[in-house]
């Protein structure tokens, strides 16, 4: 698969987690990512990065016969760009959610573990995120910022949310001015995560698209 590495997805749209759609590549040949209106060209320009038939992509927008999409490979590296709409088809996803939550999820500079909670129907969630770990100079100076999330929550189908309080997990709506709050949406093979930018040090965020780690990794 020919993919160019890009940083973790920085979402500008506050409603991206709710509006994202899961799609699959339907074209039999390579489907190339495109840039849109860059210094290189006007309109849509093909890149070297591509996806193949059956690959899952996250659709984030649409314009002029193209879909703004993100693909995350098995290493958690994301590639984002525009794909031809005619090369994609909708993926309705699974009908049952609980078992699909479980596992170790990752993207670049972030990991989330989801396990069954002690009470029936609940999930235990822990996560660690970094900022600056890809910069050798920052690592050398010890200037890598860190963040953590932890909560026990009951999912509502394919979505869940929670906040972190001094005495444990809080409802998402009860987060205080400085507290960490997180929303998640399950779209197998992806886990979408959005936080309120208060879950760690400067620039640390859990926001992005995650893939499940392979067993034993």
């Amino acid at each position: 698969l020919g993919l160019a590495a890009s940083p973790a997805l920085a979402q500008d749209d506050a409603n991206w987690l709710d509006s994202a759609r899961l799609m699959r590549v339907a074209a039999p040949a390579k489907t190339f990512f495109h840039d849109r209106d860059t210094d290189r060209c006007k309109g849509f320009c093909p890149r070297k990065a591509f996806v193949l038939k059956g690959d899952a992509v996250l659709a984030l927008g649409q314009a002029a016969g193209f879909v703004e999409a993100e693909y995350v490979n098995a290493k958690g590296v994301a590639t984002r760009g525009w794909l031809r709409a005619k090369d994609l088809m909708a993926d309705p996803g699974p009908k049952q959610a609980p078992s699909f939550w479980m596992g170790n999820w990752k993207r670049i500079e972030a990991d989330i573990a989801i396990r069954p909670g002690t009470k029936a129907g609940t999930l235990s969630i822990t996560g660690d995120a970094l900022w600056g770990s890809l910069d050798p100079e920052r690592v050398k100076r010890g200037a890598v910022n860190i963040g953590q999330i932890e909560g026990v929550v009951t999912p509502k189908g394919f979505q869940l949310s929670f906040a972190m309080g001094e005495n444990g997990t809080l409802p998402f709506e009860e987060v205080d001015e400085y507290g960490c709050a997180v929303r998640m949406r399950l779209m197998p093979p992806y886990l979408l995560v959005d936080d309120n930018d208060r879950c760690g040090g400067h620039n640390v965020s859990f926001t992005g698209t995650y893939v499940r780690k392979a067993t034993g990794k």
Side-chain angles (χ1 to χ4, degrees):
L1 183 64
L3 289 172
S6 63
L9 182 62
Q11 301 291 358
D12 299 322
D13 181 358
N15 298 316
W16 76 275
L17 187 142
D18 299 312
S19 61
R21 296 173 295 135
L22 186 67
M23 305 191 79
R24 294 275 176 177
V25 178
K30 296 176 181 177
T31 296
F32 288 90
F33 281 94
H34 291 66
D35 292 325
R36 182 185 185 190
D37 293 331
T38 66
D39 294 338
R40 187 163 62 92
C41 72
K42 296 295 183 180
F44 296 91
C45 320
R47 291 168 21 202
K48 292 182 179 180
F50 62 86
V51 282
L52 297 173
K53 184 176 182 179
D55 285 338
V57 298
L58 199 63
L60 302 167
Q62 190 162 344
F66 284 81
V67 172
E68 186 178 16
E70 183 185 44
Y71 172 84
V72 184
N73 69 14
K75 294 182 179 180
V77 178
T79 298
R80 186 177 181 180
W82 294 84
L83 301 172
R84 295 185 185 276
K86 66 180 182 180
D87 292 339
L88 305 175
M89 64 180 181
D91 185 332
K95 297 183 181 300
Q96 300 296 325
S99 63
F100 290 100
W101 286 101
M102 309 303 175
N104 298 313
W105 300 85
K106 65 179 178 179
R107 66 160 174 79
I108 297 299
E109 291 197 301
D111 293 273
I112 295 174
I114 301 180
R115 303 283 185 268
T118 54
K119 293 184 179 180
T122 64
L123 299 174
S124 175
I125 300 172
T126 58
D128 296 281
L130 303 171
W131 180 79
S133 66
L134 304 180
D135 183 343
E137 290 301 318
R138 279 192 167 274
V139 174
K140 186 177 180 179
R141 299 197 312 268
V144 176
N145 297 334
I146 63 173
Q148 293 182 323
I149 56 172
E150 183 174 358
V152 178
V153 62
T154 302
K156 296 180 179 180
F158 288 86
Q159 299 199 42
L160 63 82
S161 63
F162 66 94
M164 292 170 55
E166 292 184 1
N167 298 315
T169 309
L170 297 174
F172 182 86
E173 298 77 12
E174 295 182 14
V175 64
D176 62 30
E177 182 180 0
Y178 303 104
C180 167
V182 181
R183 293 197 304 145
M184 298 184 181
R185 181 182 177 189
L186 187 64
M187 298 183 73
Y190 297 135
L191 174 68
L192 282 57
V193 180
D194 190 42
D195 70 17
N196 63 347
D197 294 323
R198 297 188 179 92
C199 298
H202 181 63
N203 285 333
V204 175
S205 176
F206 285 87
T207 297
T209 307
Y210 293 69
V211 291
R212 200 191 314 267
K213 289 183 181 180
T215 304
K217 294 185 178 181

